[in-house]
Amino acid sequence: MNNIVEFSITCPPETALKKLTKANIAVFKLKKHGSTLTFGVLQEYSEKVFAIFSHPCYNITVKRHSAKTRALTFLKRRFGLVIGAAVFVCAAAVSGNVVMRIKVTGNGSYLSERIISIANECGAREWSLCKKLDAPLLQAKILALPDVNFCSVQREGAYLIIDVRTEEEHTAKVNYQPLKADVSGEVYRIVAICGTAERAQGDKVNAGDILIGAYELTEEGESNPCLVVGFAEITANASLSLYYDKESEENTEEALKAAALYSDRIVSQSYTVAPCDGGVKYDVTFSYIETVAINME
């Protein structure tokens, strides 16, 4: 298949596979070599893969570009003007003059929206030159936010990293929001220690639906606000697409094991095999139990 880009990443297989599956990205020839994982995706998902593994700890690189990209690169080398422009863009990115993404880290990341807005006011915008960035002013404005006691601003390649720390008392506050489903599926079990269950076993739910409401009903039928404490288990469905050079017992076993990397509570699974360009495609469909909880620690 000529449209496959191969990546190399330092990451546990289960983590990589779970992230790629949730993004609906088909994986080709997943292999593990020591602490390094290699896999291929269709070229149109290359940028999405970089976005998924954007954290510096993943150390992701392109091991091999697609045949189409290599051919196009060869042709572009014939045109000095195009190469000159590419060199300029690459030089700008490498030198740190272009901010491709602003990332907020630390336990103050819940303030991301406000912090990025402040960064824009101080001269930092994604996909733009940052020659007018006033880092000291940016730090001062972030430190002026409620409960913030530490802030650092630094460049890491094409990223602007803003690390924000808040007071422990603030981050330890309980969550007064209702418990919501994070996946679509069927309620397997729901336990409301405090609050009112709005779904029962066997109910169909969608991601974002309220499972336990932040209120309790009195004997008179009145609703009183309260802290939600409880959890719910949802039976959800998912699927994976894996590509191999041929159908075999070994490849079948590996494909089925991939579901276990996604979740450790697999309920059922099945697979189909179909020929494709250069090999075969395994489509693995499975059901698993997802647990969501609130204020249970």
Side-chain angles (χ1 to χ4, degrees), residues 98-105 119-120 123-126 130 133 135 138 152-163:
V98 175
V99 170
M100 297 175 61
R101 185 178 176 187
I102 300 174
K103 294 178 61 177
V104 181
T105 62
N120 294 162
R125 293 183 180 276
E126 294 182 346
C130 277
L133 172 62
L138 174 58
S152 71
V153 179
Q154 60 182 345
R155 293 282 188 86
E156 289 187 7
Y159 294 90
L160 181 67
I161 307 298
I162 304 176
D163 189 56

Side-chain angles (χ1 to χ4, degrees), residues 1-52:
M1 301 177 72
N2 297 326
N3 199 29
I4 301 301
V5 180
E6 295 183 16
F7 289 90
S8 175
I9 184 174
T10 303
C11 177
E14 61 271 24
T15 299
L17 194 57
K18 184 172 184 179
K19 287 179 175 289
L20 293 169
T21 300
K22 285 191 173 181
N24 294 319
I25 299 177
V27 179
F28 295 74
K29 296 183 180 181
L30 182 71
K31 295 182 180 180
K32 187 174 185 298
H33 307 279
S35 61
T36 302
L37 184 71
T38 61
F39 62 89
V41 302
L42 293 176
Q43 182 173 318
E44 54 262 36
Y45 294 115
S46 296
E47 292 186 5
K48 194 171 183 179
V49 170
F50 276 116
I52 292 173

Side-chain angles (χ1 to χ4, degrees), residues 23-240:
N24 294 319
I25 299 177
V27 179
F28 295 74
K29 296 183 180 181
L30 182 71
K31 295 182 180 180
K32 187 174 185 298
H33 307 279
S35 61
T36 302
L37 184 71
T38 61
F39 62 89
V41 302
L42 293 176
Q43 182 173 318
E44 54 262 36
Y45 294 115
S46 296
E47 292 186 5
K48 194 171 183 179
V49 170
F50 276 116
I52 292 173
F53 301 101
S54 60
H55 195 283
C57 71
Y58 287 120
N59 190 26
I60 186 169
T61 59
V62 175
K63 184 178 180 182
R64 182 180 177 84
H65 290 283
S66 68
K68 293 180 180 179
T69 299
R70 296 197 303 273
L72 184 60
T73 300
F74 175 79
L75 293 175
K76 284 185 176 181
R77 288 174 180 170
R78 303 294 182 180
F79 301 93
L81 182 61
V82 175
I83 292 301
V87 170
F88 171 79
V89 173
C90 291
V94 171
S95 64
N97 288 331
V98 175
V99 170
M100 297 175 61
R101 185 178 176 187
I102 300 174
K103 294 178 61 177
V104 181
T105 62
N107 65 356
S109 58
Y110 64 91
L111 297 169
S112 293
E113 185 175 346
R114 177 62 181 136
I115 291 171
I116 292 177
S117 176
I118 293 174
N120 294 162
E121 295 172 2
C122 296
R125 293 183 180 276
E126 294 182 346
W127 296 100
S128 67
L129 297 174
C130 277
K131 293 182 178 179
K132 295 183 179 181
L133 172 62
D134 190 336
L137 177 61
L138 174 58
Q139 287 180 285
K141 285 191 172 185
I142 293 175
L143 286 170
L145 295 174
D147 301 303
V148 175
N149 56 18
F150 172 82
C151 174
S152 71
V153 179
Q154 60 182 345
R155 293 282 188 86
E156 289 187 7
Y159 294 90
L160 181 67
I161 307 298
I162 304 176
D163 189 56
V164 180
R165 307 287 172 173
T166 59
E167 306 222 3
E168 291 298 327
E169 304 87 70
H170 177 79
T171 57
K173 288 181 179 179
V174 293
N175 188 347
Y176 285 92
Q177 299 298 314
L179 177 64
K180 297 182 179 180
D182 61 354
V183 295
S184 299
E186 181 179 302
V187 176
Y188 177 74
R189 181 168 62 148
I190 187 167
V191 176
I193 300 174
C194 290
T196 301
E198 296 193 3
R199 294 290 190 275
Q201 183 179 10
D203 286 351
K204 302 290 185 181
V205 294
N206 295 315
D209 286 351
I210 294 178
L211 301 174
I212 302 178
Y215 64 92
E216 289 186 341
L217 298 175
T218 65
E219 294 181 356
E220 292 75 23
E222 296 180 351
S223 176
N224 291 329
C226 71
L227 172 71
V228 175
V229 180
F231 68 93
E233 295 176 333
I234 301 172
T235 302
N237 299 317
S239 61
L240 299 169

Side-chain angles (χ1 to χ4, degrees), residues 274-288:
C276 66
D277 185 14
V280 296
K281 181 179 75 167
Y282 280 80
D283 288 321
V284 181
T285 302
F286 58 96
S287 299
Y288 66 98

